[in-house]
Amino acid sequence: MTNNSKTSNIADKKEAAQLSSKDMPPLNCCERLWDYQDTPEAKGYALLSMGRGVAVMANVVFNAALLELAQTAAGCLTGEEKEAAGEDYECTNKIYGQNPLALISNIGVVTGLLS
């Protein structure tokens, strides 16, 4: 490498450093998704929403498992047994004084009252 090419490389690097990020082309297709125009609150809100989405999906799985366990503890039919019984099957057994299907809604009510 000659001395002249080293000098031009240094000049190119200095020129690139002087360009603002808005003047430079995006590196990939998703870079503009994270450009909140120097507003950290907006970026924080977007990251918070992604975290909430993960929590909601975990809650869906947790609630399905909790309902299955509550119905089993109450002695109700679950899974394939319930499907074989037909659509008219209704469990009238109670666990802890409540219908197992009301468990999730009751948890939501208690949580709302306590928060």
Side-chain angles (χ1 to χ4, degrees):
M1 198 180 264
T2 64
N3 191 18
N4 193 13
S5 65
K6 286 182 183 178
T7 308
S8 66
N9 285 339
I10 293 172
D12 290 341
K13 288 179 183 178
K14 286 182 182 179
E15 183 180 329
Q18 291 175 352
L19 291 174
S20 68
S21 62
K22 294 176 185 174
D23 296 335
M24 295 178 69
L27 298 176
N28 59 35
C29 65
C30 300
E31 183 179 339
R32 298 240 186 244
L33 292 174
W34 295 104
D35 184 23
Y36 291 97
Q37 298 176 355
D38 299 327
T39 309
E41 292 85 3
K43 191 173 196 175
Y45 187 75
L47 292 172
L48 180 66
S49 297
M50 285 192 293
R52 271 194 203 132
V54 171
V56 166
M57 292 309 297
N59 198 16
V60 167
V61 172
F62 175 73
N63 286 342
L66 194 58
L67 282 174
E68 186 83 16
L69 290 173
Q71 287 181 332
T72 302
C76 300
L77 298 179
T78 59
E80 292 178 4
E81 298 169 341
K82 187 176 180 180
E83 290 175 7
E87 293 181 14
D88 296 337
Y89 174 75
E90 184 176 332
C91 180
T92 56
N93 299 345
K94 294 188 184 269
I95 180 138
Y96 300 115
Q98 65 183 355
N99 185 346
L101 296 176
L103 180 65
I104 301 302
S105 60
N106 289 342
I107 288 173
V109 168
V110 170
T111 303
L113 292 174
L114 295 178
S115 64

